[in-house]
Amino acid sequence: MRWMGALLLLPLALAAQTKPEDPCSISGQVTNAATGEPVRRALVYLRRIDGSPGGVMNIQVSHTGTTDAEGRFAIAGIAPGKYRLSAEHNGFIVTTYGARGPGKAGTLLTLEPGQNSSDLTMRMTPHGVIAGRVLDEEGEPVPSANVQVSRQQYIQGRKQMSRMNGASTNDLGEYRVFGLAPGRYYVSADTRPNQMLPQTEDEYVTTYFPRATDGAAAAPIDVAPGAQLRNIDIALAKMHTVTVRGRVASEVGPPAGGENARRTNLNVMLSARNAMVAGGGFNRGATVTPDGTFELRGVTPGSYFVVGLVNAQGKTFTARAPIQVGSSNIEGITLAIRGGVPVSGRVRVEGESSASIGQLRVTLQPAAMGGIMFAPIPTQQVKENGSFQLDDVGADQYMVSIGSLPEGFYVKSVRSANLDVLADGLEIAGGSPAPLDVVLSPNAGQVTGTVLDPKTQKAAAAMTVVLVPQEKERRDREAFYRTTTSDLAGLFTFKSVVPGEYRVYAWEDAEYGAWMDPDFLKPLESRGEAVSVTEGGRPAVQVNLIPADSQ
C-alpha cells in the first residue's frame, strides 16, 4: 500500500514545487473562419489586463508570436495573470480569443503559475470590400468625391448611423472601401461645392446608394465574410441648398506671431446637432477671412451647430450657435470666442482610508452633443492633498467624473455650494462656480454570479453580461452601467458598483450599448435578474442566458 500513498502525495509535491512567479505558456492555432484553412504569418499577441506585480494596471502588449505554415503558434515565458489573446493579419478582421464574432468581447485567459494552456483556437474572419463608382446626373464620373460606409450602431442608448470606413474616388469616379466586418452597411457620397464658382440654388448633396438624399430611404448592403461587392454605384442627386453666413471673433489673446497669426488660427465648422449621425462629426468647414467673416455653402435643411475655434496660447477655445436650416439663406451668425474660467475643488474620502488619491483624475464631460467636444475635454490630476483646478473651462453643461478610482471605491457625492452636481451636472455660464466638494466612499458594492444556458442547464462561457441601473435618473447615464464577459466557467464579477437597484442580463449576442435603448430592453425586461446593491454589499445572482434568436 506504500505505492498508493506515494501516488497521493505526488500531486501535493508537484504543487509545492510551483512558485508564484513560475512562467506560463500558451499554444494553439489560427484558422480562416470562412474556409477553415490555417492562417500563416498571423500576428498573435497577449495584452495583460490585471494589475502587474508593481500594482500598476497594464493593458499593453506583453507577448507576441507569429503563426507557422499550419497556423500554429506558441508563446512561452508569460508571467501569471489575466490576459486577452488576439490575432491580426492583413485581409482579416482583428480577432480576440473566445469572441463570438468580429468586434465582440472575448474570453479572459487566467494563467496560473506554471500553467500551460494548449489547443487555443482563434477563427479569423476575412474582411469584406464594397466598390463602385460615383456619377453625376448625366452619368459622368465624379472624381475626388468623398465616399463613406456607415452602419447603424447604438451610441448612448440611441441607434444612429456611424461611419465605419471611407475612400475618395479616382479620376474615373471609382472607389474601393475595404476592411469591413460582416454586417449591414449604408454607402453615401458627396462632393463639396466649389467656392470659386457662382452659387446656384440646386447643388449636389450627400446621396445614399443608390440615389437617396434621406438616410432613412437608403438601400442597405449586406456584407458577408470576405465578400467582394462591386458595382455599388451612386448617382449624386441635386436638391435645394442654402448659404449660412456670419462672423467669428476671438477675445482670446493671440498666439506667437501676432494678429495675422491669430486670424489664420480661426476656423469655422458646421456640425449636425447630433454630431454622430450619418457618420458625422463635422459636416464641413469654412474659410475665415481676415475680418472674421465666413460663408458655408451647400447646406441642406436640418438642425446644426455652427462652431468657431481658435488655437491660442497652446490651447483650443470654442464658441457655438445652434441653427435650424430651412429653405432660406441664414445671415448674421455671430460667434464670440471667449476664454474659459477655472473650476477648482477638493476630493476627500469618507471615513478612514489609507488609499492614495493622488492618482485620481477629475474630468468634465459635456452633457450635450452626445459627449462630443470641439476642444480638449477638461481634465486634471488630483494633488496628494485632494485639491484640483481645471483652467479655461468653457461655458457649457458638464457631468463630473472621477477616473482611476481604487478598487472598491465609488463617487458618493459631488456638490458645488448647495447644488447636487453629481446628479444634475455642472453648468458653466459666466464666472467660476463654487468649489466642488467631491466625496468618495471606500464601500462600493460587488455583484457576482453565473450565466446559465436554460437549454442545456450548463454554465455559459464568453457571454455578454450587463448590470443595468433601474433608477430613472441613472438609465441614460452610461457611467452607471457595467459590462463584462463570463469566463470559461460561466462566472462573472462586477466590482466597484455604485449602491442602487439593478437588473443583470446575459446575452448570447447583443450589440454593444443596445441595453441603454428602452425600446430594445422593454420586451426583455423580465429576462433580467433584479439585484439590490447596498454599501459594501456582495450579492450573488444566477442569470439565464438570453439566446440570440429571442432578441
Side-chain angles (χ1 to χ4, degrees), residues 499-540:
E501 301 299 320
Y502 298 88
R503 277 187 176 271
V504 185
Y505 295 85
W507 279 281
E508 181 180 23
D509 187 16
E511 186 176 342
Y512 185 87
W515 39 82
M516 288 188 66
D517 183 355
D519 293 333
F520 173 85
L521 203 59
K522 187 174 182 179
L524 304 170
E525 198 82 33
S526 62
R527 307 288 288 271
E529 291 295 324
V531 59
S532 181
V533 181
T534 59
E535 276 207 333
R538 297 290 189 270

mmCIF file of all heavy atoms in Angstrom, residues 499-540:
data_model
loop_
_atom_site.group_PDB
_atom_site.id
_atom_site.type_symbol
_atom_site.label_atom_id
_atom_site.label_comp_id
_atom_site.label_asym_id
_atom_site.label_seq_id
_atom_site.Cartn_x
_atom_site.Cartn_y
_atom_site.Cartn_z
ATOM 1 N N PRO A 499 -23.927 51.835 -5.102
ATOM 2 C CA PRO A 499 -25.150 51.294 -4.487
ATOM 3 C C PRO A 499 -26.400 51.762 -5.218
ATOM 4 O O PRO A 499 -26.490 52.901 -5.671
ATOM 5 C CB PRO A 499 -25.088 51.851 -3.059
ATOM 6 C CG PRO A 499 -23.628 52.033 -2.787
ATOM 7 C CD PRO A 499 -23.044 52.471 -4.102
ATOM 8 N N GLY A 500 -27.365 50.856 -5.328
ATOM 9 C CA GLY A 500 -28.605 51.170 -6.020
ATOM 10 C C GLY A 500 -29.317 49.909 -6.460
ATOM 11 O O GLY A 500 -28.940 48.795 -6.111
ATOM 12 N N GLU A 501 -30.365 50.100 -7.263
ATOM 13 C CA GLU A 501 -31.162 48.990 -7.779
ATOM 14 C C GLU A 501 -30.747 48.686 -9.216
ATOM 15 O O GLU A 501 -30.614 49.593 -10.038
ATOM 16 C CB GLU A 501 -32.650 49.326 -7.717
ATOM 17 C CG GLU A 501 -33.159 49.635 -6.315
ATOM 18 C CD GLU A 501 -32.989 48.452 -5.369
ATOM 19 O OE1 GLU A 501 -33.223 47.306 -5.808
ATOM 20 O OE2 GLU A 501 -32.607 48.679 -4.202
ATOM 21 N N TYR A 502 -30.575 47.399 -9.514
ATOM 22 C CA TYR A 502 -30.103 46.981 -10.826
ATOM 23 C C TYR A 502 -30.852 45.737 -11.307
ATOM 24 O O TYR A 502 -31.524 45.049 -10.522
ATOM 25 C CB TYR A 502 -28.603 46.656 -10.796
ATOM 26 C CG TYR A 502 -27.702 47.811 -10.437
ATOM 27 C CD1 TYR A 502 -27.398 48.100 -9.108
ATOM 28 C CD2 TYR A 502 -27.145 48.611 -11.439
ATOM 29 C CE1 TYR A 502 -26.569 49.161 -8.781
ATOM 30 C CE2 TYR A 502 -26.307 49.672 -11.109
ATOM 31 C CZ TYR A 502 -26.019 49.943 -9.775
ATOM 32 O OH TYR A 502 -25.194 50.989 -9.468
ATOM 33 N N ARG A 503 -30.687 45.461 -12.596
ATOM 34 C CA ARG A 503 -31.032 44.156 -13.161
ATOM 35 C C ARG A 503 -29.816 43.655 -13.918
ATOM 36 O O ARG A 503 -29.115 44.431 -14.563
ATOM 37 C CB ARG A 503 -32.248 44.229 -14.087
ATOM 38 C CG ARG A 503 -33.582 44.184 -13.362
ATOM 39 C CD ARG A 503 -34.758 44.079 -14.325
ATOM 40 N NE ARG A 503 -36.003 43.954 -13.618
ATOM 41 C CZ ARG A 503 -36.546 42.809 -13.227
ATOM 42 N NH1 ARG A 503 -35.930 41.676 -13.509
ATOM 43 N NH2 ARG A 503 -37.684 42.778 -12.567
ATOM 44 N N VAL A 504 -29.584 42.341 -13.831
ATOM 45 C CA VAL A 504 -28.460 41.721 -14.511
ATOM 46 C C VAL A 504 -28.993 40.928 -15.699
ATOM 47 O O VAL A 504 -29.895 40.097 -15.546
ATOM 48 C CB VAL A 504 -27.667 40.796 -13.572
ATOM 49 C CG1 VAL A 504 -26.431 40.253 -14.287
ATOM 50 C CG2 VAL A 504 -27.258 41.544 -12.301
ATOM 51 N N TYR A 505 -28.409 41.192 -16.878
ATOM 52 C CA TYR A 505 -28.794 40.498 -18.105
ATOM 53 C C TYR A 505 -27.570 39.802 -18.687
ATOM 54 O O TYR A 505 -26.442 40.294 -18.560
ATOM 55 C CB TYR A 505 -29.343 41.474 -19.149
ATOM 56 C CG TYR A 505 -30.627 42.160 -18.754
ATOM 57 C CD1 TYR A 505 -30.597 43.321 -17.976
ATOM 58 C CD2 TYR A 505 -31.856 41.667 -19.156
ATOM 59 C CE1 TYR A 505 -31.772 43.964 -17.605
ATOM 60 C CE2 TYR A 505 -33.041 42.306 -18.798
ATOM 61 C CZ TYR A 505 -32.991 43.448 -18.022
ATOM 62 O OH TYR A 505 -34.155 44.080 -17.659
ATOM 63 N N ALA A 506 -27.819 38.679 -19.357
ATOM 64 C CA ALA A 506 -26.753 37.961 -20.060
ATOM 65 C C ALA A 506 -27.237 37.656 -21.470
ATOM 66 O O ALA A 506 -28.296 37.050 -21.649
ATOM 67 C CB ALA A 506 -26.387 36.676 -19.330
ATOM 68 N N TRP A 507 -26.455 38.104 -22.465
ATOM 69 C CA TRP A 507 -26.832 37.937 -23.866
ATOM 70 C C TRP A 507 -25.852 37.027 -24.596
ATOM 71 O O TRP A 507 -24.633 37.131 -24.414
ATOM 72 C CB TRP A 507 -26.857 39.289 -24.579
ATOM 73 C CG TRP A 507 -28.110 40.065 -24.355
ATOM 74 C CD1 TRP A 507 -29.319 39.891 -24.963
ATOM 75 C CD2 TRP A 507 -28.279 41.175 -23.452
ATOM 76 N NE1 TRP A 507 -30.237 40.812 -24.487
ATOM 77 C CE2 TRP A 507 -29.622 41.605 -23.567
ATOM 78 C CE3 TRP A 507 -27.431 41.826 -22.566
ATOM 79 C CZ2 TRP A 507 -30.125 42.665 -22.832
ATOM 80 C CZ3 TRP A 507 -27.933 42.880 -21.825
ATOM 81 C CH2 TRP A 507 -29.265 43.292 -21.964
ATOM 82 N N GLU A 508 -26.425 36.175 -25.444
ATOM 83 C CA GLU A 508 -25.579 35.380 -26.326
ATOM 84 C C GLU A 508 -24.966 36.264 -27.399
ATOM 85 O O GLU A 508 -23.804 36.096 -27.766
ATOM 86 C CB GLU A 508 -26.402 34.265 -26.975
ATOM 87 C CG GLU A 508 -25.596 33.374 -27.901
ATOM 88 C CD GLU A 508 -26.433 32.281 -28.519
ATOM 89 O OE1 GLU A 508 -27.671 32.430 -28.601
ATOM 90 O OE2 GLU A 508 -25.854 31.260 -28.925
ATOM 91 N N ASP A 509 -25.754 37.221 -27.883
ATOM 92 C CA ASP A 509 -25.260 38.117 -28.924
ATOM 93 C C ASP A 509 -26.066 39.406 -28.891
ATOM 94 O O ASP A 509 -27.217 39.434 -29.350
ATOM 95 C CB ASP A 509 -25.376 37.456 -30.303
ATOM 96 C CG ASP A 509 -24.726 38.285 -31.398
ATOM 97 O OD1 ASP A 509 -23.947 39.194 -31.064
ATOM 98 O OD2 ASP A 509 -24.997 38.024 -32.584
ATOM 99 N N ALA A 510 -25.514 40.448 -28.338
ATOM 100 C CA ALA A 510 -26.183 41.750 -28.271
ATOM 101 C C ALA A 510 -25.203 42.826 -28.694
ATOM 102 O O ALA A 510 -24.028 42.793 -28.309
ATOM 103 C CB ALA A 510 -26.699 42.038 -26.865
ATOM 104 N N GLU A 511 -25.684 43.760 -29.493
ATOM 105 C CA GLU A 511 -24.825 44.847 -29.928
ATOM 106 C C GLU A 511 -24.494 45.746 -28.744
ATOM 107 O O GLU A 511 -25.368 46.068 -27.924
ATOM 108 C CB GLU A 511 -25.532 45.660 -31.012
ATOM 109 C CG GLU A 511 -24.666 46.731 -31.640
ATOM 110 C CD GLU A 511 -25.372 47.437 -32.779
ATOM 111 O OE1 GLU A 511 -26.355 46.899 -33.303
ATOM 112 O OE2 GLU A 511 -24.925 48.545 -33.134
ATOM 113 N N TYR A 512 -23.230 46.140 -28.658
ATOM 114 C CA TYR A 512 -22.794 46.936 -27.509
ATOM 115 C C TYR A 512 -23.623 48.219 -27.395
ATOM 116 O O TYR A 512 -23.803 48.959 -28.364
ATOM 117 C CB TYR A 512 -21.316 47.295 -27.615
ATOM 118 C CG TYR A 512 -20.809 48.009 -26.391
ATOM 119 C CD1 TYR A 512 -20.346 47.281 -25.301
ATOM 120 C CD2 TYR A 512 -20.837 49.393 -26.296
ATOM 121 C CE1 TYR A 512 -19.908 47.916 -24.150
ATOM 122 C CE2 TYR A 512 -20.411 50.041 -25.157
ATOM 123 C CZ TYR A 512 -19.949 49.295 -24.082
ATOM 124 O OH TYR A 512 -19.536 49.946 -22.948
ATOM 125 N N GLY A 513 -24.118 48.474 -26.204
ATOM 126 C CA GLY A 513 -24.880 49.687 -25.938
ATOM 127 C C GLY A 513 -26.365 49.550 -26.162
ATOM 128 O O GLY A 513 -27.129 50.458 -25.804
ATOM 129 N N ALA A 514 -26.818 48.427 -26.741
ATOM 130 C CA ALA A 514 -28.252 48.268 -27.019
ATOM 131 C C ALA A 514 -29.062 48.310 -25.738
ATOM 132 O O ALA A 514 -30.223 48.753 -25.729
ATOM 133 C CB ALA A 514 -28.496 46.951 -27.762
ATOM 134 N N TRP A 515 -28.480 47.874 -24.625
ATOM 135 C CA TRP A 515 -29.191 47.815 -23.354
ATOM 136 C C TRP A 515 -29.549 49.193 -22.806
ATOM 137 O O TRP A 515 -30.325 49.288 -21.861
ATOM 138 C CB TRP A 515 -28.354 47.042 -22.341
ATOM 139 C CG TRP A 515 -26.882 47.335 -22.424
ATOM 140 C CD1 TRP A 515 -26.209 48.391 -21.883
ATOM 141 C CD2 TRP A 515 -25.903 46.559 -23.129
ATOM 142 N NE1 TRP A 515 -24.880 48.329 -22.188
ATOM 143 C CE2 TRP A 515 -24.646 47.207 -22.952
ATOM 144 C CE3 TRP A 515 -25.954 45.384 -23.876
ATOM 145 C CZ2 TRP A 515 -23.465 46.723 -23.498
ATOM 146 C CZ3 TRP A 515 -24.778 44.898 -24.414
ATOM 147 C CH2 TRP A 515 -23.557 45.552 -24.226
ATOM 148 N N MET A 516 -28.989 50.272 -23.384
ATOM 149 C CA MET A 516 -29.379 51.615 -22.957
ATOM 150 C C MET A 516 -30.593 52.131 -23.709
ATOM 151 O O MET A 516 -31.123 53.197 -23.390
ATOM 152 C CB MET A 516 -28.205 52.590 -23.139
ATOM 153 C CG MET A 516 -27.072 52.400 -22.160
ATOM 154 S SD MET A 516 -25.819 53.715 -22.275
ATOM 155 C CE MET A 516 -26.777 55.147 -21.717
ATOM 156 N N ASP A 517 -31.044 51.389 -24.716
ATOM 157 C CA ASP A 517 -32.195 51.777 -25.525
ATOM 158 C C ASP A 517 -33.452 51.179 -24.894
ATOM 159 O O ASP A 517 -33.623 49.958 -24.868
ATOM 160 C CB ASP A 517 -32.017 51.259 -26.950
ATOM 161 C CG ASP A 517 -33.151 51.680 -27.867
ATOM 162 O OD1 ASP A 517 -34.134 52.294 -27.376
ATOM 163 O OD2 ASP A 517 -33.076 51.399 -29.077
ATOM 164 N N PRO A 518 -34.368 52.007 -24.387
ATOM 165 C CA PRO A 518 -35.583 51.481 -23.756
ATOM 166 C C PRO A 518 -36.390 50.576 -24.675
ATOM 167 O O PRO A 518 -36.993 49.597 -24.229
ATOM 168 C CB PRO A 518 -36.363 52.749 -23.370
ATOM 169 C CG PRO A 518 -35.325 53.820 -23.280
ATOM 170 C CD PRO A 518 -34.307 53.478 -24.320
ATOM 171 N N ASP A 519 -36.429 50.906 -25.985
ATOM 172 C CA ASP A 519 -37.199 50.101 -26.921
ATOM 173 C C ASP A 519 -36.601 48.702 -27.076
ATOM 174 O O ASP A 519 -37.333 47.725 -27.270
ATOM 175 C CB ASP A 519 -37.264 50.785 -28.287
ATOM 176 C CG ASP A 519 -38.064 52.073 -28.251
ATOM 177 O OD1 ASP A 519 -38.951 52.183 -27.384
ATOM 178 O OD2 ASP A 519 -37.800 52.975 -29.077
ATOM 179 N N PHE A 520 -35.278 48.604 -27.002
ATOM 180 C CA PHE A 520 -34.621 47.301 -27.091
ATOM 181 C C PHE A 520 -34.865 46.475 -25.829
ATOM 182 O O PHE A 520 -35.122 45.270 -25.884
ATOM 183 C CB PHE A 520 -33.120 47.483 -27.313
ATOM 184 C CG PHE A 520 -32.317 46.206 -27.243
ATOM 185 C CD1 PHE A 520 -32.182 45.397 -28.360
ATOM 186 C CD2 PHE A 520 -31.709 45.818 -26.057
ATOM 187 C CE1 PHE A 520 -31.448 44.214 -28.289
ATOM 188 C CE2 PHE A 520 -30.974 44.647 -25.982
ATOM 189 C CZ PHE A 520 -30.846 43.844 -27.106
ATOM 190 N N LEU A 521 -34.801 47.134 -24.679
ATOM 191 C CA LEU A 521 -34.828 46.419 -23.413
ATOM 192 C C LEU A 521 -36.242 46.080 -22.936
ATOM 193 O O LEU A 521 -36.426 45.084 -22.212
ATOM 194 C CB LEU A 521 -34.117 47.244 -22.341
ATOM 195 C CG LEU A 521 -33.570 46.483 -21.134
ATOM 196 C CD1 LEU A 521 -32.574 45.422 -21.573
ATOM 197 C CD2 LEU A 521 -32.923 47.446 -20.159
ATOM 198 N N LYS A 522 -37.237 46.845 -23.351
ATOM 199 C CA LYS A 522 -38.586 46.671 -22.803
ATOM 200 C C LYS A 522 -39.120 45.248 -22.948
ATOM 201 O O LYS A 522 -39.610 44.667 -21.965
ATOM 202 C CB LYS A 522 -39.540 47.675 -23.440
ATOM 203 C CG LYS A 522 -40.924 47.672 -22.802
ATOM 204 C CD LYS A 522 -41.788 48.782 -23.372
ATOM 205 C CE LYS A 522 -43.161 48.790 -22.690
ATOM 206 N NZ LYS A 522 -44.023 49.879 -23.222
ATOM 207 N N PRO A 523 -39.071 44.628 -24.139
ATOM 208 C CA PRO A 523 -39.615 43.264 -24.246
ATOM 209 C C PRO A 523 -38.786 42.216 -23.508
ATOM 210 O O PRO A 523 -39.236 41.081 -23.342
ATOM 211 C CB PRO A 523 -39.604 42.999 -25.760
ATOM 212 C CG PRO A 523 -38.568 43.917 -26.302
ATOM 213 C CD PRO A 523 -38.620 45.136 -25.443
ATOM 214 N N LEU A 524 -37.579 42.596 -23.058
ATOM 215 C CA LEU A 524 -36.703 41.656 -22.360
ATOM 216 C C LEU A 524 -36.611 41.960 -20.872
ATOM 217 O O LEU A 524 -35.816 41.335 -20.164
ATOM 218 C CB LEU A 524 -35.299 41.704 -22.975
ATOM 219 C CG LEU A 524 -35.202 41.435 -24.478
ATOM 220 C CD1 LEU A 524 -33.793 41.749 -24.971
ATOM 221 C CD2 LEU A 524 -35.567 39.998 -24.784
ATOM 222 N N GLU A 525 -37.427 42.912 -20.409
ATOM 223 C CA GLU A 525 -37.307 43.395 -19.030
ATOM 224 C C GLU A 525 -37.338 42.256 -18.018
ATOM 225 O O GLU A 525 -36.545 42.207 -17.075
ATOM 226 C CB GLU A 525 -38.435 44.381 -18.725
ATOM 227 C CG GLU A 525 -38.192 45.259 -17.505
ATOM 228 C CD GLU A 525 -37.312 46.458 -17.807
ATOM 229 O OE1 GLU A 525 -37.383 46.974 -18.937
ATOM 230 O OE2 GLU A 525 -36.563 46.874 -16.913
ATOM 231 N N SER A 526 -38.259 41.301 -18.203
ATOM 232 C CA SER A 526 -38.417 40.229 -17.232
ATOM 233 C C SER A 526 -37.320 39.174 -17.314
ATOM 234 O O SER A 526 -37.232 38.295 -16.453
ATOM 235 C CB SER A 526 -39.779 39.546 -17.435
ATOM 236 O OG SER A 526 -39.850 38.951 -18.725
ATOM 237 N N ARG A 527 -36.457 39.254 -18.341
ATOM 238 C CA ARG A 527 -35.405 38.245 -18.506
ATOM 239 C C ARG A 527 -34.173 38.547 -17.654
ATOM 240 O O ARG A 527 -33.242 37.754 -17.596
ATOM 241 C CB ARG A 527 -34.987 38.159 -19.984
ATOM 242 C CG ARG A 527 -36.142 37.947 -20.956
ATOM 243 C CD ARG A 527 -36.706 36.559 -20.874
ATOM 244 N NE ARG A 527 -35.815 35.576 -21.454
ATOM 245 C CZ ARG A 527 -35.822 35.230 -22.738
ATOM 246 N NH1 ARG A 527 -36.651 35.806 -23.584
ATOM 247 N NH2 ARG A 527 -34.993 34.307 -23.181
ATOM 248 N N GLY A 528 -34.168 39.715 -17.030
ATOM 249 C CA GLY A 528 -33.055 40.071 -16.164
ATOM 250 C C GLY A 528 -33.331 39.715 -14.720
ATOM 251 O O GLY A 528 -34.495 39.615 -14.295
ATOM 252 N N GLU A 529 -32.274 39.548 -13.941
ATOM 253 C CA GLU A 529 -32.401 39.226 -12.524
ATOM 254 C C GLU A 529 -32.209 40.499 -11.701
ATOM 255 O O GLU A 529 -31.188 41.181 -11.819
ATOM 256 C CB GLU A 529 -31.359 38.187 -12.113
ATOM 257 C CG GLU A 529 -31.601 36.812 -12.694
ATOM 258 C CD GLU A 529 -32.888 36.183 -12.183
ATOM 259 O OE1 GLU A 529 -33.237 36.400 -10.989
ATOM 260 O OE2 GLU A 529 -33.546 35.477 -12.969
ATOM 261 N N ALA A 530 -33.206 40.813 -10.864
ATOM 262 C CA ALA A 530 -33.125 42.004 -10.026
ATOM 263 C C ALA A 530 -32.106 41.796 -8.915
ATOM 264 O O ALA A 530 -31.999 40.704 -8.344
ATOM 265 C CB ALA A 530 -34.490 42.314 -9.429
ATOM 266 N N VAL A 531 -31.355 42.854 -8.640
ATOM 267 C CA VAL A 531 -30.372 42.792 -7.565
ATOM 268 C C VAL A 531 -30.279 44.167 -6.925
ATOM 269 O O VAL A 531 -30.258 45.191 -7.610
ATOM 270 C CB VAL A 531 -28.994 42.328 -8.095
ATOM 271 C CG1 VAL A 531 -28.473 43.263 -9.171
ATOM 272 C CG2 VAL A 531 -27.987 42.217 -6.964
ATOM 273 N N SER A 532 -30.277 44.184 -5.602
ATOM 274 C CA SER A 532 -30.158 45.422 -4.844
ATOM 275 C C SER A 532 -28.763 45.477 -4.238
ATOM 276 O O SER A 532 -28.344 44.547 -3.534
ATOM 277 C CB SER A 532 -31.220 45.471 -3.741
ATOM 278 O OG SER A 532 -31.118 46.683 -3.012
ATOM 279 N N VAL A 533 -28.040 46.555 -4.529
ATOM 280 C CA VAL A 533 -26.657 46.694 -4.069
ATOM 281 C C VAL A 533 -26.600 47.770 -2.993
ATOM 282 O O VAL A 533 -26.945 48.924 -3.237
ATOM 283 C CB VAL A 533 -25.713 47.060 -5.240
ATOM 284 C CG1 VAL A 533 -24.284 47.178 -4.732
ATOM 285 C CG2 VAL A 533 -25.803 46.018 -6.346
ATOM 286 N N THR A 534 -26.192 47.381 -1.809
ATOM 287 C CA THR A 534 -26.019 48.323 -0.710
ATOM 288 C C THR A 534 -24.541 48.634 -0.546
ATOM 289 O O THR A 534 -23.683 47.999 -1.165
ATOM 290 C CB THR A 534 -26.560 47.723 0.594
ATOM 291 O OG1 THR A 534 -25.863 46.498 0.871
ATOM 292 C CG2 THR A 534 -28.048 47.426 0.474
ATOM 293 N N GLU A 535 -24.233 49.620 0.296
ATOM 294 C CA GLU A 535 -22.826 49.931 0.558
ATOM 295 C C GLU A 535 -22.126 48.709 1.141
ATOM 296 O O GLU A 535 -22.575 48.150 2.148
ATOM 297 C CB GLU A 535 -22.710 51.118 1.507
ATOM 298 C CG GLU A 535 -22.809 52.450 0.817
ATOM 299 C CD GLU A 535 -22.068 53.541 1.590
ATOM 300 O OE1 GLU A 535 -21.934 53.433 2.821
ATOM 301 O OE2 GLU A 535 -21.619 54.500 0.945
ATOM 302 N N GLY A 536 -21.048 48.304 0.467
ATOM 303 C CA GLY A 536 -20.301 47.151 0.932
ATOM 304 C C GLY A 536 -20.979 45.822 0.674
ATOM 305 O O GLY A 536 -20.450 44.778 1.063
ATOM 306 N N GLY A 537 -22.149 45.828 0.010
ATOM 307 C CA GLY A 537 -22.885 44.597 -0.244
ATOM 308 C C GLY A 537 -22.194 43.721 -1.274
ATOM 309 O O GLY A 537 -21.487 44.208 -2.161
ATOM 310 N N ARG A 538 -22.411 42.402 -1.178
ATOM 311 C CA ARG A 538 -21.801 41.438 -2.088
ATOM 312 C C ARG A 538 -22.851 40.433 -2.571
ATOM 313 O O ARG A 538 -22.726 39.222 -2.357
ATOM 314 C CB ARG A 538 -20.650 40.686 -1.398
ATOM 315 C CG ARG A 538 -19.482 41.558 -0.954
ATOM 316 C CD ARG A 538 -18.717 42.068 -2.159
ATOM 317 N NE ARG A 538 -17.469 42.728 -1.776
ATOM 318 C CZ ARG A 538 -17.367 44.020 -1.508
ATOM 319 N NH1 ARG A 538 -18.450 44.793 -1.553
ATOM 320 N NH2 ARG A 538 -16.206 44.546 -1.181
ATOM 321 N N PRO A 539 -23.919 40.892 -3.219
ATOM 322 C CA PRO A 539 -24.950 39.947 -3.666
ATOM 323 C C PRO A 539 -24.446 39.053 -4.793
ATOM 324 O O PRO A 539 -23.563 39.431 -5.563
ATOM 325 C CB PRO A 539 -26.077 40.858 -4.159
ATOM 326 C CG PRO A 539 -25.388 42.123 -4.556
ATOM 327 C CD PRO A 539 -24.245 42.274 -3.591
ATOM 328 N N ALA A 540 -25.013 37.846 -4.868
ATOM 329 C CA ALA A 540 -24.689 36.892 -5.930
ATOM 330 C C ALA A 540 -25.994 36.497 -6.633
ATOM 331 O O ALA A 540 -27.029 36.323 -5.975
ATOM 332 C CB ALA A 540 -23.998 35.659 -5.360
#
